[in-house]
């Protein structure tokens, strides 16, 4: 089967589900070190993407699905995370270009371009207590897995696992970007909401890939 358009559509549907399931958790995390809107923002965004998915033509490629996610998140999510996720999916879509399906190398190219897009836009580094603390370990682990011969679904699974561990590392950090940076040391002990949502989205990608 492979990571084709059916998979990309399934990833969007699963993303909308997990974001909705974890909405309250993301709101709570963002309330602790931000303004409490992250769960609401993302839920609104993925609900909007889901509504537009049926309008895509039958011949749409994975890159078209990812581009739809990008433009919809940019116009509906708002906050810091809207433009950041929008850029991630847009750069990721450009990286996969017009491929009919994604192999392991294309998955790595997608993740790398998405992460680089977030960095370009938000200027955060690993250790700043942002979504980059989930994205970068995911990219590194995915790249290593692809180099040792893993397939696309396995690469996504390894990436999701690394993003989850990366999100956990944000507990101990002081935030140096975004609203949480206003809190100084008081942010310690709280997990970054954007790192958690990144891990959820990558887990959704991996779960739908292993089922396809
Ligand atoms: P806002 O902070 O505007 O309310 P959200 O609550 O939707 O936006 O998103 C907050 C998340 O955005 C943070 O948890 C963090 O992961 C991410 N974030 C904020 N600023 C940056 C940045 N400069 N670079 C990377 N990620 C960032
Ligand atoms: Mg917020």
């Amino acid at each position: 089967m492979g990571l084709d358009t059916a998979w990309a559509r399934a990833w969007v549907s699963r993303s909308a589900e997990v974001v909705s399931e974890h909405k309250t958790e993301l709101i709570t995390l963002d309330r602790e070190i931000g303004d409490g809107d992250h769960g609401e923002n993302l839920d609104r965004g993925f609900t909007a993407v889901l509504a537009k998915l049926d309008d895509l033509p039958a011949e749409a490629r994975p890159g078209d699905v990812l581009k739809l996610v990008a433009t919809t998140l940019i116009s509906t999510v708002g906050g810091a995370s809207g433009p950041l996720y929008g850029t991630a999916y847009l750069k990721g879509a450009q990286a996969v270009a017009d491929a009919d399906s994604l192999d392991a190398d294309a998955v790595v190219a997608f993740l790398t371009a998405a992460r680089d897009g977030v960095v370009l836009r938000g200027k955060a580094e690993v250790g700043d207590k942002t979504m980059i603390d989930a994205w970068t370990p995911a990219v590194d682990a995915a790249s290593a897995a692809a180099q040792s011969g893993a397939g696309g679904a396995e690469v996504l699974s390894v990436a999701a696992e690394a993003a989850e561990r990366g999100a956990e590392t944000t507990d101990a950090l002081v935030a140096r970007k975004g609203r949480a940076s206003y809190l100084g040391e008081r942010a310690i002990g709280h997990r970054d909401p954007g790192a958690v949502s990144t891990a959820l989205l990558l887990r959704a990608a991996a779960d739908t890939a292993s089922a396809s």
Side-chain angles (χ1 to χ4, degrees), residues 4-13 48-72 93:
D4 56 7
T5 305
W7 162 74
R9 288 174 177 272
W11 180 21
V12 171
S13 304
V49 181
L50 204 54
K52 289 189 192 172
L53 208 54
D54 288 343
D55 299 342
L56 275 179
E59 66 273 17
R61 297 190 165 126
D64 299 315
V65 176
L66 298 169
K67 197 162 168 232
L68 177 74
V69 176
T71 53
T72 309

Side-chain angles (χ1 to χ4, degrees), residues 5 9 22 24 26 28 30 58 70 87 104 128 135 150 155-156 178 181 185 197:
T5 305
R9 288 174 177 272
H22 292 266
T24 311
L26 294 173
T28 304
D30 194 32
T87 306
D128 285 351
W135 277 109
V155 167
L156 279 174
S181 64
E185 305 245 310
S197 60

Side-chain angles (χ1 to χ4, degrees), residues 30 35 37-38 41 77-82 84 118 122-124 129-132 177-179 192-195:
D30 194 32
D35 57 357
D37 63 351
H38 189 59
N41 288 349
V77 174
S81 65
L84 291 169
V118 175
K123 310 277 186 272
K129 198 178 181 100
T130 71
M131 61 172 73
I132 286 302
K177 288 279 186 276
R179 283 178 199 280
D192 178 65

Side-chain angles (χ1 to χ4, degrees), residues 18-39:
V18 295
V19 166
S20 166
E21 284 162 15
H22 292 266
K23 182 168 131 177
T24 311
E25 177 193 337
L26 294 173
I27 288 172
T28 304
L29 290 174
D30 194 32
R31 197 174 284 141
E32 283 162 356
I33 58 168
D35 57 357
D37 63 351
H38 189 59

